[in-house]
Amino acid sequence: MTGNAQPDEADAPTWPAETAESYRRAGYWAGRTFGAQLRDLAAAHADRTAVVDADRRMTYAELDRAVDALAAGLRGLGLQRGDTVVLQLPNGADFVVTWFALQRLGVVPVHALPGHRAAEITHLAALSGAVAHIVPDVHARFDYRELAATVRAQVPGVRHVVVAGEPGGRDGAVALGDLPEPGTGPIEDAPSSSDVALLLLSGGTTGVPKLIPRTHDDYAYNALAAARICGLDADSVYLAVLPVAFNFTMSCPGLLGVLAVGGTAVLSGSPDPSTTFPLIERERVTITALNPPLTPVWIEEARRTSHDLSSLQVVQIGSARLADEIAPLVEPALGATLQQVFGMAEGLLNLTLLDDPDELKYTTQGRPISPADEIRVVDTDGHDVPPGEAGELLTRGPYTLRGYYRAPEHNARSFTADGFYRTGDVVRQLPTGHLNVVGRVKDQINRGGEKIAATEVEGHLLAHPGIAAAAVVGTPDERFGERSVAFLVCRDEPVGKVAVARHLRALGVAQYKHPDQVELVDALPLTPVGKIDKNALRERLVSA
Ligand code: OOB
């Protein structure tokens, strides 16, 4: 989608016209773009604090002005409505200003994560037709300018590297704060609220990551509906702990939810209590969001901290199953209501309610946030199971995608003919509507909330000349809930864990996808129809 056009129906399948109309009529879709929404917020809350990043603070009026200035700079570079860019910034004010500047122009950010490397970014840039890659200079001791140069050399469509910080004198790299020749005058081709506003990354089940188109209308509704359920208002202070590019942190309710009601977003550079607890105390944070591996670390630290955490009202936990034994420990340790969050970049978001009885808060993963969310729980033949029984969760609704971006074949498998998304999650639904996540039918590993598509890693492993066959599975892990194990059949010499890591690093595969464990085998077990028998491999690990 380069040039002025929005992606067409084949690129990004959308809701049928009558369905879209019903969502507008019901008021779910407000018909405002994010760029326009920020303008309204700046008028309503001009002098209130919108964003805090370490010692940098911005009121709504300042944010709005900074967004205009940056939008003009990005226009000067030639960016325009319908262009895509890979946005790869860590938590900080630069992310927020850049994101809204892109929204104001109708330029679509691909939400890359700071942990992604050349293998992921080149794929995302090529798939999305990105014209720019926006990066920090150095973050967590990694030089993103080098990464950007590698990507740009491989994907010629990436014309610009925009660096938040020092551009470092490389060809084609410009500083975010110093863009040449800003575009002036009104933006002639302003975006519409039904346009794709952003492309999120799917956790994935296939060889290459998929992109999820989210429109202004659907994504703004997602954030606002979540904000209402969490009781957010202009006095709320949200602390972004996980990467803000992640859908959970961005809009569940996250950054966008707290801004939508005039509250304050505080962006933490690290999830570690040594950074976050002082921020909670100083900024009087009222709500934050964690994943299961962080939870015991925060609980432990909260029990002995001298920092005042008494402002905290809600702690959301999601992205992987929170252990039933840990759930009851959260409220006494952190002095805040636990909210379980079962969401997906594809859309559907489930939250426990703040006044749910303990039983529901501690053992379920919440219920759909919208009255218009449609839920089906089906067996392997696609028939609805009796109420309360386990089956695969299918869903459609006002903020759930109708198709991945530029992936027609995958879409044919991932959706029913009538537009339900097959989540790959196995759930039970309670009479209250709450869902219990009991398993998964997709070939994915959930490593403490970070999703690994087994086939993607297998593809990278098979690129090693010494590896003849590979299968990646998940196995229970105390810290991460699940860790990844690669079973390898080697040709001559054994290829061990260190060699595997070296190989994946050389390919530019993000660290979290590197197998935690490598098992060398003579052959992979097969099912009667000749597919790799991953259940047999998983059983081998558990019984070992
Ligand atoms: C969130 O989004 P994604 O796209 O990284 O991953 C979605 C998948 C779900 O399909 C499910 O398999 C798993 O992550 N998941 C959970 C869970 N929350 C997500 N599995 C069990 N229990 C939970 N509470 O992970 C995400 C997006 C928005 C909000 C929160 C999480």
Side-chain angles (χ1 to χ4, degrees):
M1 77 176 158
T2 48
N4 276 340
Q6 265 284 303
D8 60 24
E9 176 69 23
D11 275 346
T14 186
W15 294 265
E18 329 71 270
T19 311
E21 194 41 45
S22 75
Y23 293 152
R24 278 189 206 102
R25 246 193 336 265
Y28 302 130
W29 292 357
R32 289 300 267 168
T33 62
F34 284 106
Q37 189 195 33
L38 179 62
R39 192 77 86 213
D40 301 344
L41 290 166
H45 309 283
D47 297 327
R48 297 189 70 104
T49 305
V51 178
V52 179
D53 159 7
D55 293 322
R56 190 170 163 198
R57 312 178 76 81
M58 300 177 98
T59 65
Y60 277 88
E62 287 164 346
L63 175 62
D64 191 45
R65 278 197 295 276
V67 165
D68 270 343
L70 182 58
L74 293 170
R75 253 174 100 199
L77 273 188
L79 298 192
Q80 54 183 328
R81 180 183 181 196
D83 282 342
T84 57
V85 302
V86 176
L87 178 63
Q88 194 182 20
L89 291 178
N91 290 7
D94 283 335
F95 182 101
V96 185
V97 175
T98 306
W99 194 84
F100 278 102
L102 295 169
Q103 295 305 331
R104 218 156 245 176
L105 295 174
V107 176
V108 179
V110 176
H111 276 217
L113 293 171
H116 287 137
R117 295 294 177 256
E120 288 87 16
I121 304 292
T122 47
H123 166 71
L124 297 174
L127 173 61
S128 67
V131 297
H133 183 194
I134 306 180
V135 291
D137 45 16
V138 177
H139 171 71
R141 296 196 302 276
F142 181 76
D143 192 332
Y144 285 81
R145 297 164 300 192
E146 304 261 349
L147 169 63
T150 307
V151 171
R152 188 158 170 258
Q154 289 183 37
V155 190
V158 178
R159 295 195 295 272
H160 310 285
V161 172
V162 183
V163 183
E166 277 300 316
R170 278 179 189 74
D171 256 12
V174 289
L176 191 67
D178 187 24
L179 294 174
E181 300 191 40
T184 50
I187 297 165
E188 272 154 37
D189 192 15
S192 141
S193 69
S194 57
D195 286 357
V196 172
L198 64 156
L199 290 163
L200 290 174
L201 267 65
S202 159
T205 52
T206 61
V208 287
K210 295 283 178 288
L211 289 171
I212 297 161
R214 304 289 303 258
T215 65
H216 296 263
D217 276 326
D218 93 68
Y219 209 54
Y221 172 57
N222 186 139
L224 191 61
R228 289 197 181 119
I229 291 172
C230 294
L232 300 192
D233 61 25
D235 294 324
S236 298
V237 182
Y238 177 85
L239 179 67
V241 166
L242 302 170
V244 65
F246 180 29
N247 181 43
F248 187 8
T249 324
M250 190 72 191
S251 76
C252 300
L255 169 74
L256 295 178
V258 80
L259 293 183
V261 296
T264 302
V266 180
L267 295 123
S268 177
S270 154
D272 194 274
S274 61
T275 304
T276 55
F277 285 11
L279 275 176
I280 293 172
E281 177 175 85
R282 189 184 83 187
E283 303 299 332
R284 305 296 294 157
V285 168
T286 60
I287 173 167
T288 190
L290 305 177
N291 59 24
L294 276 175
T295 305
V297 180
W298 276 49
I299 290 176
E300 220 18 69
E301 202 53 38
R303 286 177 177 152
R304 54 165 183 248
T305 187
S306 57
H307 288 288
D308 176 7
L309 307 181
S310 63
S311 57
L312 265 184
Q313 295 165 8
V314 180
V315 173
Q316 300 185 292
I317 303 178
S319 77
R321 185 73 155 83
L322 178 64
D324 287 352
E325 311 82 73
I326 302 285
L329 309 180
V330 174
E331 299 192 335
L334 293 166
T337 303
L338 164 67
Q339 181 178 57
Q340 294 214 37
V341 182
F342 164 40
M344 53 201 75
E346 283 80 358
L348 180 70
L349 175 64
N350 304 279
L351 300 174
T352 53
L353 306 182
L354 303 183
D355 58 0
D356 269 341
D358 288 353
E359 174 69 13
L360 290 176
K361 274 194 298 183
Y362 299 166
T363 64
T364 78
Q365 283 62 57
R367 61 178 223 205
I369 60 167
S370 172
D373 282 320
E374 297 173 73
I375 298 291
R376 288 182 60 200
V377 183
V378 302
D379 63 21
T380 47
D381 296 327
H383 300 124
D384 292 278
V385 300
E389 282 187 19
E392 185 185 1
L393 170 66
L394 311 186
T395 185
R396 63 181 185 188
Y399 60 97
T400 294
L401 87 172
R402 289 300 183 116
Y404 292 96
Y405 182 67
R406 293 183 177 164
E409 284 165 29
H410 186 63
N411 286 339
R413 287 191 300 274
S414 302
F415 295 83
T416 64
D418 55 356
F420 277 84
Y421 166 57
R422 301 182 205 273
T423 66
D425 292 311
V426 177
V427 303
R428 288 187 310 118
Q429 188 165 35
L430 279 59
T432 55
H434 290 66
L435 299 173
N436 215 201
V437 184
V438 296
R440 197 184 309 136
V441 289
K442 53 191 169 187
D443 195 6
Q444 185 185 79
I445 296 137
N446 189 337
R447 186 177 185 271
E450 293 194 295
K451 315 305 183 311
I452 303 167
T455 45
E456 182 190 344
V457 181
E458 288 158 5
H460 292 311
L461 290 170
L462 289 173
H464 188 292
I467 297 176
V472 177
V473 298
T475 199
D477 182 83
E478 201 173 328
R479 172 146 174 244
F480 291 109
E482 221 177 341
R483 67 176 185 274
S484 65
V485 185
F487 285 89
L488 303 180
V489 180
C490 298
R491 290 188 208 282
D492 309 309
E493 299 295 309
V495 182
K497 188 176 164 190
V498 174
V500 164
R502 201 182 309 123
H503 166 71
L504 294 178
R505 201 171 313 114
L507 289 181
V509 177
Q511 173 94 34
Y512 69 90
K513 297 178 188 170
H514 296 193
D516 294 299
Q517 187 180 334
V518 171
E519 296 290 328
L520 303 182
V521 291
D522 293 334
L524 295 173
L526 299 180
T527 64
V529 294
K531 288 210 256 176
I532 294 173
D533 190 347
K534 291 202 167 179
N535 285 333
L537 291 173
R538 280 186 279 263
E539 274 160 30
R540 256 187 229 181
L541 291 165
V542 179
S543 58

